[in-house]
């Protein structure tokens, strides 16, 4: 698709200059937001001229065909996935594990979805511009100019409104690997692992890939280790390196639910759990929250509840007593706190996971000092023979298509070592607001002042300063989706998209700029206190996901998602995709004057 000769109504951006032509934690979303943003906007504005720019080769993001890899399973159950207007179903007879399923089924679902949704004679898929890399996004007057590279050609798009839906899994975080130029094997990030076809029947040079090494302590790393250890077509020697300078090995919890909860993720999607979040800014203060957060008994009870999950997970792993375990298996012992989310947390997807890893994977703890021709060298001199190095090292939170000045204006993170004067100006402007906000946070949740001391990640960027992690306080012609870290982005996608559209259309009654800035500062300081390891960026909502969604919808005056049979059911039933089925129609009726 060539650049249009007119100004579009809306451009949805899902591409960045640092992307690659192929695509931790268990946070998986990226193009979920692209699809939801474009489709919802067209549901409300069916004749609008909407274009979606995407750096990938097909719709789906982490769920696209190019990113699928062996043992890649969804970490959410069947009822929690998909969009409300088109139910997601795992095919009859497909393998499931406590309602969890293989990622390829979501891939097929998304492919069918973008083809089947059509407005004004054009399907959603025909509005996508694939392999399109956005280099610069800036506002000139009332129009946004998007400069991009489309299959080697420089193109420019213009639109009155923009939704940025790049998500947080677009820019690979690759480690420094001295000597990489001499390494004769392959070095792959988890983003390109699927496209490499390694560990699949389509793998080329499989006979040369006899030594597989995984670097990282995330859920993706555990998937890769299990996949390599169970590849019976080409038996491998598998090594797993977990950095000593990082947050350590992940913690894996059981997947099975109980009673009306098909799986553990369903239990995590109920409103009652939000009260046990340790500190939830999206819930009102009540006598119960005051009891939990301002008394020693409440604090003892919270710690007891959360620590039980850690005890159960350690028992499942049996780090010291597992029969047949190779030397080093005990190095997978995690120090992660589930309550404080001090490291990666995932869900077991195979009953034999711990046995397979214990008996077939050599585990090392250490930082990588460099590479030789055929080995990874650790800081203590240990050399690990390697033909393929798989880096499950996560993602960078970057928005490089914006200049530093534009990023500061919009409330996007700034790198502390770049544009020093601009960063200092921004920090000075926000410091007083954040000091006041910090006092309010500690007044409401006093025990956060005494949170456990974890090995915190270096602070390298300023926090997000977007209102409700969606709208800039100074410009409502652009909105951002999918920047919050939540366990299931399908859950928050529609609510945040409606909120963004209301902001773009002028239907949302926003408070004065000064009030919005105070709220932004409050959430930033709450997040830094609540999640001391990685909350300084201001976007972690691990246990506040349901409350955040309810909060956005309440601001929109929407309530159809709260139509449970009783108060008890509303609090204890899992919030599933179908609960949001009436939201778009409710929005359309409420905001008739803003729908075309």
């Amino acid at each position: 698709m060539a650049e249009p000769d007119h100004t579009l109504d809306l451009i949805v951006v899902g591409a960045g200059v640092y992307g690659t032509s192929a695509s931790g934690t268990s946070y998986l979303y990226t193009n979920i937001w692209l699809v939801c943003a474009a489709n919802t906007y067209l549901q409300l504005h069916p004749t609008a001229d909407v274009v979606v720019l995407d750096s990938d080769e097909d719709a789906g993001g982490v769920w696209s065909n190019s990113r699928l890899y062996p043992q890649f399973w969804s970490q959410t159950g069947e009822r929690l996935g998909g969009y409300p207007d088109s139910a997601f179903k795992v095919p009859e007879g497909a393998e499931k594990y406590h309602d969890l399923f293989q990622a390829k089924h979501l891939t097929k679902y998304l492919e069918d979805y973008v083809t089947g949704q059509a407005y004004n004679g054009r399907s959603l898929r025909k509005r996508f511009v694939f392999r399109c890399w956005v280099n610069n996004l800036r506002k000139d007057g009332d129009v946004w100019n998007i400069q991009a590279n489309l299959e080697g050609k420089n193109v420019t798009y213009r639109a009155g409104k923009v939704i940025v839906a790049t998500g947080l899994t677009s820019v690979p975080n690759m480690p420094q690997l001295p000597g990489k130029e001499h390494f004769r094997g392959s070095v792959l990030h988890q983003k390109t692992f699927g496209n490499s076809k390694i560990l699949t029947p389509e793998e080329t040079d499989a006979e040369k890939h006899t030594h597989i090494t995984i670097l990282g302590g995330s859920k993706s790393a555990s998937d890769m280790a299990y996949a390599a250890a169970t590849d019976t077509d080409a038996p491998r020697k598998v090594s797993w390196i977990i950095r000593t300078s990082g947050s350590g090995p992940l913690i894996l919890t059981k997947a099975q639910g109980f009673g009306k909860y098909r799986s553990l993720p369903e239990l995590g999607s109920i409103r009652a759990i939000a009260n046990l979040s340790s500190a939830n800014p999206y819930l009102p203060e009540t006598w119960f929250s005051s009891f939990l957060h301002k008394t020693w008994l409440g604090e003892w009870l919270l710690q007891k509840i959360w620590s039980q999950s850690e005890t159960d997970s350690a028992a499942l792993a049996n780090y010291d007593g597992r029969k047949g375990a190779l030397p080093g298996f005990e190095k997978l012992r995690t120090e992660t706190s589930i309550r404080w989310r001090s490291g990666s947390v995932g869900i077991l997807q195979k009953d034999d996971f711990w046995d397979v890893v214990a008996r077939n994977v050599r585990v090392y703890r250490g930082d990588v000092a460099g590479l030789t021709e055929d080995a990874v060298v650790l800081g203590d001199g240990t050399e690990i023979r390697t033909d393929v190095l798989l880096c499950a090292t996560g993602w960078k939170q970057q928005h490089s298509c914006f200049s530093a000045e534009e990023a500061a204006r919009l409330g996007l993170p700034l790198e502390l070592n770049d544009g020093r004067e601009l960063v200092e100006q921004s920090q000075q402007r926000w410091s007083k607001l954040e000091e006041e906000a910090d006092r309010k946070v500690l007044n409401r949740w006093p025990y956060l002042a005494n949170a456990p001391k974890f090995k915190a990640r270096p602070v390298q960027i300023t926090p997000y300063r977007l209102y409700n992690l969606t709208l800039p306080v100074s410009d409502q012609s652009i909105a951002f989706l999918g920047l919050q870290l939540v366990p299931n982005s399908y859950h928050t996608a529609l609510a945040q998209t409606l909120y963004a559209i209301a902001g773009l259309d002028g239907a949302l009654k926003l408070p004065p700029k000064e009030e919005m800035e105070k709220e932004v500062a409050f959430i930033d300081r709450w997040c830094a206190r609540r999640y001391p390891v990685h909350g300084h960026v201001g976007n972690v909502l691990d246990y506040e996901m349901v409350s955040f969604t309810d909060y956005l919808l309440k601001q929109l005056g929407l309530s159809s998602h709260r139509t449970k049979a009783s108060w008890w059911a509303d609090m204890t039933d899992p919030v599933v995709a179908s609960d949001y089925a009436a939201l778009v129609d409710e929005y359309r009726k409420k905001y008739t004057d803003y729908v075309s």
Side-chain angles (χ1 to χ4, degrees), residues 254-545:
K254 62 182 180 180
Q256 57 264 43
F258 57 89
K260 59 185 174 183
Y261 309 113
R262 297 181 183 176
S263 64
L264 188 69
E266 289 202 345
L267 183 63
S269 70
I270 65 175
R271 292 187 172 91
I273 289 293
N275 288 287
L276 303 178
S277 145
S278 294
N280 193 328
Y282 301 106
L283 290 178
E285 288 190 79
T286 64
W287 69 266
F288 184 63
S289 65
S290 293
F291 162 71
L292 284 178
H293 306 308
K294 292 186 176 181
T295 69
W296 70 267
L297 182 58
E299 165 61 14
W300 176 85
L301 181 62
L302 280 174
Q303 184 58 31
K304 189 74 173 175
I305 292 171
W306 287 111
S307 61
Q308 187 61 49
S309 298
E310 296 163 16
T311 300
D312 293 344
S313 297
L316 284 173
N318 191 12
Y319 300 109
D320 296 318
R322 188 167 292 276
K323 292 182 179 179
L326 295 173
F329 173 69
E330 73 283 353
K331 294 177 182 178
L332 284 176
R333 183 188 305 281
T334 182
E335 297 177 357
T336 290
S337 164
I338 293 179
R339 177 184 178 184
W340 296 97
R341 213 40 157 101
S342 60
S344 293
V345 178
I347 299 173
L348 278 171
Q349 293 162 176
K350 295 285 185 177
D351 287 327
D352 65 348
F353 174 85
W354 287 117
D355 275 337
V356 167
V357 170
R359 295 169 184 171
N360 299 281
V361 179
R362 292 272 183 178
V363 180
Y364 300 84
R365 294 297 304 275
D367 291 316
V368 175
L371 301 179
T372 65
E373 289 185 348
D374 59 0
V376 177
V377 182
L378 301 184
D380 63 0
T382 300
E383 292 193 10
I384 304 168
R385 170 70 192 280
T386 303
D387 302 312
V388 178
L389 176 60
L390 302 175
C391 298
T393 47
W395 314 88
K396 293 182 179 180
Q397 299 190 38
Q398 290 185 346
H399 302 276
S400 303
C401 56
F402 294 96
S403 68
E405 291 75 17
E406 192 75 304
R409 182 180 75 86
L410 295 174
L412 299 175
L414 300 171
E415 292 190 30
L416 296 178
N417 59 353
D418 288 341
R420 192 67 185 171
E421 183 177 348
L422 183 64
V423 173
E424 288 181 355
Q425 291 174 356
S426 177
Q427 295 289 67
Q428 289 172 4
R429 189 169 72 83
W430 282 91
S431 61
K432 185 176 181 180
L433 286 170
E434 290 176 348
E435 288 174 7
E436 181 182 349
D438 200 51
R439 287 193 293 270
K440 290 182 178 179
V441 168
L442 294 181
N443 181 61
R444 182 170 174 183
W445 302 288
Y447 73 93
L448 289 181
N450 301 308
K453 302 299 181 184
F454 298 105
K455 186 187 296 182
R457 298 176 183 177
V459 178
Q460 298 176 330
I461 58 176
T462 61
Y464 284 100
R465 286 162 175 156
L466 297 165
Y467 188 59
N468 286 325
L469 283 169
T470 307
L471 300 172
V473 297
S474 59
D475 191 333
Q476 276 76 64
S477 66
I478 186 170
F480 296 83
L481 299 179
L483 299 180
Q484 63 274 12
L485 286 167
V486 293
N488 175 19
S489 284
Y490 275 111
H491 176 92
T492 54
L494 179 58
Q496 192 185 20
T497 298
L498 286 173
Y499 187 82
I501 291 171
L504 294 174
D505 287 349
L508 185 62
K509 292 182 179 179
L510 295 169
K513 179 180 177 180
E514 294 75 15
E515 292 302 315
M516 286 195 286
E517 288 181 338
K518 287 181 181 180
E519 290 188 42
V520 169
F522 181 80
I523 292 299
D524 280 344
R525 292 311 306 155
W526 160 80
C527 196
R529 292 282 189 179
R530 169 66 184 88
Y531 296 102
V533 173
H534 57 292
H536 60 272
V537 187
N539 65 340
V540 186
L541 301 176
D542 268 308
Y543 304 118
E544 298 77 28
M545 175 182 72

Side-chain angles (χ1 to χ4, degrees), residues 49-261:
D49 201 350
V50 177
V51 167
V52 183
L53 307 181
D54 189 0
S55 62
D56 268 330
E57 300 176 1
D58 202 354
V62 291
W63 306 108
S64 63
N65 273 309
S66 65
R67 300 203 203 182
L68 294 179
Y69 57 81
Q71 304 306 327
F72 182 12
W73 283 55
S74 169
Q75 289 273 282
T76 56
E78 182 177 23
R79 293 192 294 180
L80 304 181
Y83 300 115
D85 61 339
S86 180
F88 167 71
K89 292 289 184 184
V90 176
E92 183 106 13
E95 183 183 7
K96 293 172 70 175
Y97 181 76
H98 300 292
D99 208 44
L100 306 184
F101 50 88
Q102 291 179 294
K104 65 181 181 181
H105 302 308
L106 269 177
T107 300
K108 179 64 165 59
Y109 168 82
L110 284 169
E111 288 175 346
D112 292 344
Y113 190 87
V114 296
T115 301
Q117 303 296 107
Y119 303 93
N120 203 28
R122 292 178 65 200
S123 71
L124 208 55
R125 178 181 293 279
K126 290 187 178 298
R127 299 171 189 270
F128 272 72
V129 182
F130 294 111
R131 303 182 188 88
C132 184
W133 315 87
V134 174
N135 300 315
N136 185 266
L137 206 163
R138 71 178 190 278
K139 192 174 185 182
D140 295 327
D142 295 328
V143 176
W144 285 95
N145 282 280
I146 297 95
Q147 296 175 356
N149 185 281
L150 178 58
E151 297 183 349
K153 296 180 180 179
N154 293 325
V155 295
T156 300
Y157 294 88
R158 297 179 299 279
K161 301 172 184 176
V162 172
I163 292 178
V164 179
T166 50
L168 296 171
T169 58
S170 295
V171 185
N173 180 36
M174 284 296 289
Q176 295 294 320
L177 299 170
K180 181 180 177 182
E181 66 277 12
H182 304 300
F183 184 59
R184 293 182 301 192
S186 299
V187 178
L188 301 171
H189 186 266
Q190 62 200 80
K191 184 173 184 178
T192 54
F193 175 43
N195 211 35
S196 74
K197 302 304 180 184
I198 288 176
L199 306 184
T200 74
E202 292 79 34
E203 177 180 0
T204 56
D205 296 326
E207 70 282 356
K208 298 179 181 179
H209 300 159
T210 58
H211 293 73
I212 306 291
T213 299
I214 297 95
L215 174 61
S218 68
K219 178 62 173 63
S220 296
S222 71
D223 288 345
M224 293 175 182
Y226 182 86
T230 54
D231 183 17
T232 56
D233 291 335
R236 329 276 183 153
K237 291 187 177 179
V238 186
S239 302
W240 187 356
I241 303 171
I242 299 173
R243 295 180 302 131
T244 51
S245 60
S247 54
L250 80 163
I251 189 168
L252 286 169
T253 65
K254 62 182 180 180
Q256 57 264 43
F258 57 89
K260 59 185 174 183
Y261 309 113

Side-chain angles (χ1 to χ4, degrees), residues 532-579:
V533 173
H534 57 292
H536 60 272
V537 187
N539 65 340
V540 186
L541 301 176
D542 268 308
Y543 304 118
E544 298 77 28
M545 175 182 72
V546 177
S547 301
F548 174 70
T549 299
D550 286 346
Y551 182 77
L552 294 184
L553 294 174
K554 185 177 181 179
Q555 286 202 355
L556 291 173
L558 304 180
S559 60
S560 60
H561 61 298
R562 302 294 295 266
T563 55
K564 298 289 187 181
S566 66
W567 171 86
W568 180 251
D570 187 61
M571 291 299 294
T572 61
D573 281 0
V575 183
V576 298
S578 58
D579 289 335

